[in-house]
Amino acid sequence: MTDLFDTLTEPLPQREEIAASAVLLRGFARPGDRDVLDAIDSVIKRAPFRHMQTPGGHAMSVAMTSCGRAGWVTDRRGYRYAADDPDSGRPWPQMPDVLSSLAQRAAAEAGFADFDPDACLINRYVPGAKMALHQDKDERDFSAPIVSVSLGLPAIFQFGGMARSDKPRRYELRHGDVLVWGGPSRLVYHGVLTLKDGEHPLLGRQRINLTFRKAL
Ligand code: MD3
Ligand code: FE
């Protein structure tokens, strides 16, 4: 029995299927968000955020780092996953249990049992940063989903179809929102519009996005 008090104080995360096998879990990562932020802090102490270079030689406006057995990197040689952080020459920090557990629970909620990510890319947006429309296709196996967790300032996320020319739809992603992309939606074009200025109670003037992947 749920009583009225429960429904008022613990709004159940909204679940919305925004595309075939793409599930938006509103607020799924809000409970325990401070532990998630502590885990991110422990990663960035060992592997600080950096602005990587695109193959075309431009610095990305989004600052990135990774944890897990593999991290996503880009430089003049191209995009790829690597076991070592190119800045330190050391392996990427281990994926903290609170992070892998969050990703696994979100994937299960969306119908993907036993998701076992080996890479977590951590993106940091400050006002003015954006991410152009792209596909995530540097992973070896597209049958595993990608789980994304939004923290801090809200951002407008856009996603289209399998062709760059497909008209994108827009969604606002807020602190604690989680998206699970699997099946046919795994390869859709997606991006993030220029982050607007604002102040978030836990994160200040930034947005952090985690994407959990099965890369290897
Ligand atoms: C749809 N990150 O890191 S999260 C990325 O907010 C990336 O930082 C964005 O795109 C961000 O590659 C968007 C939502 C997302 C993430 C991965 C996807 C949507 C996706 C992979 C496949 C399809
Ligand atoms: Fe992406």
Side-chain angles (χ1 to χ4, degrees):
M1 244 312 249
T2 39
D3 63 20
L4 180 59
F5 184 72
D6 282 345
T7 62
L8 289 174
T9 55
E10 288 181 54
L12 284 176
Q14 300 284 339
R15 183 204 161 92
E16 193 185 343
E17 184 131 353
I18 62 171
S21 291
V23 180
L24 172 53
L25 304 168
R26 290 279 187 204
F28 188 86
R30 267 176 175 272
D33 55 359
R34 284 181 169 80
D35 296 331
V36 168
L37 293 174
D38 286 348
I40 294 169
D41 278 341
S42 77
V43 170
I44 63 180
K45 267 192 281 166
R46 295 172 180 80
F49 285 117
R50 77 290 307 266
H51 294 274
M52 292 189 281
Q53 296 259 112
T54 64
H58 300 283
M60 296 187 74
S61 63
V62 177
M64 298 176 166
T65 187
S66 285
C67 60
R69 287 201 293 128
W72 186 81
V73 297
T74 174
D75 57 20
R76 294 305 299 246
R77 289 160 50 206
Y79 306 134
R80 63 196 174 276
Y81 283 93
D84 295 336
D85 174 348
D87 281 12
S88 67
R90 288 175 292 153
W92 293 104
Q94 281 197 351
M95 197 184 302
D97 288 345
V98 282
L99 299 189
S100 46
S101 148
L102 171 61
Q104 203 252 309
R105 285 184 290 110
E109 182 75 23
F112 297 93
D114 304 314
F115 178 48
D116 182 24
D118 51 28
C120 174
L121 174 64
I122 307 175
N123 295 330
R124 185 188 63 192
Y125 297 73
V126 296
K130 61 179 167 25
M131 191 177 287
L133 274 186
H134 66 279
Q135 291 172 297
D136 288 21
K137 49 182 187 186
D138 302 318
E139 300 75 25
R140 197 160 290 163
D141 176 7
F142 298 145
S143 70
I146 290 185
V147 173
S148 113
V149 177
S150 292
L151 297 164
L153 287 178
I156 309 287
F157 167 73
Q158 54 175 1
F159 78 93
M162 300 292 291
R164 191 185 293 275
S165 55
D166 292 342
K167 184 182 153 63
R169 292 197 277 156
R170 292 178 175 187
Y171 279 83
E172 186 174 55
L173 297 180
R174 308 183 195 105
H175 179 76
D177 289 350
V178 176
L179 276 160
V180 181
W181 301 84
S185 70
R186 174 64 181 73
L187 287 168
V188 299
Y189 275 90
H190 58 279
V192 176
L193 302 187
T194 305
L195 194 79
K196 285 206 312 183
D197 200 3
E199 180 78 24
H200 185 271
L202 291 180
L203 275 155
R205 293 177 70 184
Q206 60 179 333
R207 168 177 187 262
I208 289 182
N209 178 268
L210 310 174
T211 45
F212 296 90
R213 300 130 185 278
K214 190 115 188 124
L216 304 177

